[in-house]
Amino acid sequence: NIWMGLFAPAATPQPIVQRLTRAIAEASRKPALRAALERSGMIAEYGDPARVRELLLQEHASVADLAQKVDLGS
């Protein structure tokens, strides 16, 4: 699986993060955007910042485990 996300610098003021979060959530519900993404083979699935953090932590653990199994971690 491949997924994409929008990231901002860690020091981004919270009001800006909240504004971006709302705008992205709203855009992700638009039928035209969803249809365009689906035509290109993508699935539109919105994840708020907490969900994206959870996904990143899961991906990191998965890749670290794989690296250890194939001896890339040393």
Side-chain angles (χ1 to χ4, degrees):
N1 292 333
I2 296 173
W3 60 272
M4 291 180 268
L6 178 67
F7 295 85
T12 303
Q14 200 56 33
I16 293 173
V17 171
Q18 291 170 346
R19 185 174 176 189
L20 285 169
T21 299
R22 283 191 304 271
I24 293 165
E26 183 180 318
S28 73
R29 291 189 294 269
K30 293 187 180 274
L33 176 62
R34 296 181 72 83
L37 290 172
E38 289 172 8
R39 280 193 304 274
S40 66
M42 296 185 214
I43 299 170
E45 182 180 321
Y46 171 75
D48 65 17
R51 176 66 180 134
V52 172
R53 177 179 167 74
E54 181 182 318
L55 283 171
L56 285 171
L57 291 172
Q58 289 172 358
E59 288 287 320
H60 182 268
S62 177
V63 170
D65 183 52
L66 178 61
Q68 187 175 27
K69 286 179 181 173
V70 297
D71 199 24
L72 294 176
S74 51

